[in-house]
Amino acid sequence: MSSVITSMVDGRAVRGGRLLVSANPANGTEEAARVELADVATFTGACRAARTAQRAWSRVPAPVRGQVIANLGVLVRANKEALAVLVTREIGKPIAEARGEVQEIIDTCDFFLGEGRRLYGQTVPSEMPDKTLFTFRVPVGVAAIVTAGNFPVAVPSWYLVPALLCGNAVVWKPAEYAAASAAAFASLIVRSGVPDGVFNIVHADGETTFAGLAAALDAGLVDKVGFTGSTDVGVRIGELCGRHLQRPCLELGGKNPMVVAADADLDLAVEGALFGGFGSAGQRCTSLGTAIVHESVYDDFLARLDSALRAAIIGDPMRTDVLYGPMLAPKFAERYEEFLGWISPAHTVLGSSGIGRISADNPRDGFVGDLGGLYYHPVVVAGLAATDKLFGTETFGPIVGAMSYRTLDEAIEFANRPGYGLSSSVYTTDPRTAFAFREGIGAGMVSVNNSTSGAEAHLPFGGNGRSGNGSRQSGVWVLDEFTRWQSMNWDYSGRLQKAQMDTATTTPSLDFRL
């Protein structure tokens, strides 16, 4: 039996109230975690502790804070396999992907340890003599970070690592169904050299978190909110932060398109569709939503995708050869079944020997998992129309829509119509098609001849429209989320020099002509 996971505030465990017990989704019986869920007072108390600790942390020289990040990278690297196995056991992510997720933390730490020596400001020339202008990056203060559980450790690192590096204190609220992975990652953060109160973790349900966040904002305890999750919740958080004149960092859902041009390498496109649409059982914000395929290769592409999906191995996530494992948790399985109900007689379903949950009565050829797990058949819904509910809604699960197009302009219009703007891809051998797609697509991320999924730690990650508010995680761009620019002017002339009024002028001869 697993030990009970509790919140940690100011370096001390804080007992909660309601006990949540979650099972391994790969078998439905093995206990994955026991977590005591906190109340609103615990959340606000964590924010208060962070406020108290933040000032001293901000005075620690940035290169020293960078060394703490380096320590975290060393600890994660040393515990890589154990953390990856825990992620797989708790949420059913295939072990190969879980190892990649932990590597993402290491890459993030490797990148940001150097940023401790590169939190550059600028020296700016003044328009007046004996005066110098400067700019500085200063920490925002206390950051409240709320993350989803489909990437229980990698995505949190995109927030936590730069926030701590920049001199902020943080309160992290991970997903309840990924509490064990979060607690393990938190234990590594604590041992990296972060002082008590600078890093806090609170386990709570969604409504408690929202109420606690509202109370903390009202009390002036939070200066920045980071949220990864659904668009609907992101809208609520955006409204809440707006009342306090704060701009949250929002990374929301996606309905990510993949355009397959007439000249595309179809085998490569199919490989991209398999990983993008069905990796992690389609439970990524960057998962492929709709394949938009040129009419001349549409039937050929679908035949190849259908064949590849039927041959794919699905099941036990501890195997390295599976395409995907189970759904993350029962609530996601229930929601996925609702999406399957949107399939109509006008659609053609491809990809497997059945639809819905894999069972003895609904078998899948080549299935290698435990029938007690939350495993579902992969589904390709061909003949999708732009008016279909499946077309415009993020469908979290192993389901991909497919439709045809005639012109690139039509394909781009289809790709943009759902209103999301996270990730996108185009398969083509013509650079003109690639650049025309990039120019026309509204997504924050574009891949050419690559999957819609796959982020690197030094590239900006984020979306537009229903996928986010333009904020970016990863790379140097995230520094603008966790620092504020401060300008300073230093006049050492010994007199008051008034900008725009005491500026020296020149006398040109602008009517001169050769």
Side-chain angles (χ1 to χ4, degrees):
M1 181 178 292
S2 57
S3 59
V4 177
I5 296 165
T6 63
S7 301
M8 185 196 69
V9 176
D10 203 14
R12 296 184 296 273
V14 178
R15 300 302 299 268
R18 181 164 62 94
L19 180 68
L20 177 68
V21 180
S22 61
N24 182 340
N27 54 50
T29 56
E30 178 190 7
E31 187 175 290
R34 291 178 152 228
V35 57
E36 291 184 354
L37 299 181
D39 57 14
V40 171
T42 300
F43 189 93
T44 55
C47 295
R48 187 168 288 106
R51 172 67 74 207
T52 301
Q54 188 271 329
R55 180 58 65 89
W57 177 240
S58 70
R59 289 173 177 159
V60 173
V64 178
R65 298 197 301 260
Q67 185 57 54
V68 172
I69 299 306
N71 298 340
L72 177 59
V74 170
L75 283 166
V76 174
R77 184 176 276 109
N79 291 276
K80 179 177 179 178
E81 186 64 13
L83 187 54
V85 169
L86 181 56
V87 168
T88 295
R89 177 174 171 267
E90 185 169 42
I91 66 167
K93 177 172 288 190
I95 187 62
E97 293 188 43
R99 288 170 180 149
E101 173 164 353
V102 178
Q103 183 62 45
E104 182 92 19
I105 307 173
I106 298 168
D107 293 346
T108 298
C109 290
D110 285 349
F111 181 87
F112 280 104
L113 70 90
E115 290 307 306
R117 296 184 182 274
R118 287 191 296 269
L119 284 177
Y120 298 145
Q122 293 178 309
T123 302
V124 183
S126 173
E127 63 188 23
M128 288 172 283
D130 299 323
K131 184 179 181 182
T132 303
L133 313 178
F134 305 90
T135 65
F136 301 87
R137 283 191 183 274
V138 297
V140 295
V142 173
I145 307 301
V146 182
T147 56
N150 57 337
F151 283 85
V153 291
V155 169
S157 76
W158 295 355
Y159 292 102
L160 301 175
V161 168
L164 292 169
L165 174 79
C166 291
N168 303 286
V170 299
V171 175
W172 176 30
K173 204 297 287 188
E176 310 94 288
Y177 61 88
S181 301
F185 185 31
S187 71
L188 300 179
I189 295 174
V190 168
R191 287 163 177 79
S192 67
V194 177
D196 290 347
V198 171
F199 170 75
N200 308 273
I201 181 169
V202 176
H203 299 280
D205 62 31
E207 288 306 315
T208 298
T209 301
F210 190 84
L213 187 58
L217 285 165
D218 285 341
L221 299 174
V222 170
D223 306 287
K224 185 73 176 185
V225 177
F227 173 74
T228 295
S230 71
T231 298
D232 289 344
V233 176
V235 168
R236 292 182 64 196
I237 289 178
E239 291 172 343
L240 176 62
C241 292
R243 296 204 296 268
H244 296 272
L245 300 181
Q246 289 191 23
R247 177 181 178 271
C249 183
L250 299 177
E251 197 277 287
L252 309 176
K255 189 67 176 179
N256 308 292
M258 182 179 82
V259 170
V260 181
D263 59 355
D265 180 334
L266 293 186
D267 287 334
L268 184 62
V270 166
E271 188 177 3
L274 281 178
F275 181 71
F278 301 96
S280 295
Q283 298 167 109
R284 307 181 186 124
C285 56
T286 55
S287 289
L288 170 61
T290 306
I292 304 168
V293 187
H294 191 268
E295 60 183 4
S296 65
V297 295
Y298 179 72
D299 291 338
D300 192 0
F301 172 82
L302 286 181
R304 298 186 194 206
L305 180 58
D306 180 51
S307 177
L309 263 181
R310 290 178 185 275
I313 299 174
I314 294 169
D316 182 4
M318 286 303 299
R319 291 181 49 152
T320 58
D321 58 350
V322 297
L323 176 60
Y324 66 83
M327 302 297 284
L328 296 167
K331 68 176 183 178
F332 296 101
E334 293 166 8
R335 181 70 171 130
Y336 180 63
E337 291 185 357
E338 182 181 340
F339 299 144
L340 293 177
W342 298 350
I343 299 172
S344 76
H347 301 134
T348 300
V349 178
L350 307 170
S352 193
S353 53
I355 300 175
R357 188 166 179 173
I358 298 171
S359 66
D361 296 329
N362 188 20
R364 156 85 184 183
D365 293 339
F367 176 67
V368 296
D370 185 326
L371 289 176
L374 298 173
Y375 296 100
Y376 281 78
H377 288 273
V379 173
V380 175
V381 181
L384 206 63
T387 54
D388 290 339
K389 201 171 182 179
L390 281 171
F391 173 81
T393 306
E394 180 184 27
T395 47
F396 211 61
I399 181 170
V400 169
M403 62 194 308
S404 64
Y405 76 92
R406 292 184 177 181
T407 68
L408 184 59
D409 285 344
E410 183 183 37
I412 293 171
E413 196 277 328
F414 284 147
N416 285 329
R417 186 178 295 185
Y420 292 90
L422 185 55
S423 186
S424 63
S425 70
V426 60
Y427 280 79
T428 181
T429 55
D430 188 342
R432 293 172 296 183
T433 299
F435 280 102
F437 178 78
R438 184 214 62 79
E439 184 178 2
I441 195 69
M445 299 179 290
V446 181
S447 293
V448 181
N449 296 328
N450 205 343
S451 163
T452 56
S453 293
E456 297 190 38
H458 51 285
L459 200 64
F461 184 99
N464 309 313
R466 296 172 68 189
S467 293
N469 59 347
S471 57
R472 292 294 180 266
Q473 294 86 53
S474 303
V476 297
W477 298 270
V478 74
L479 297 178
D480 286 332
E481 299 299 325
F482 293 109
T483 58
R484 293 193 178 110
W485 284 108
Q486 183 182 64
S487 63
M488 183 176 82
N489 76 81
W490 187 340
D491 193 323
Y492 45 90
S493 67
R495 64 186 187 280
L496 176 63
Q497 299 188 90
K498 299 182 288 294
Q500 293 89 45
M501 289 182 279
D502 294 337
T503 308
T505 60
T506 61
T507 307
S509 300
L510 297 180
D511 57 349
F512 174 77
R513 302 291 184 273
L514 293 176

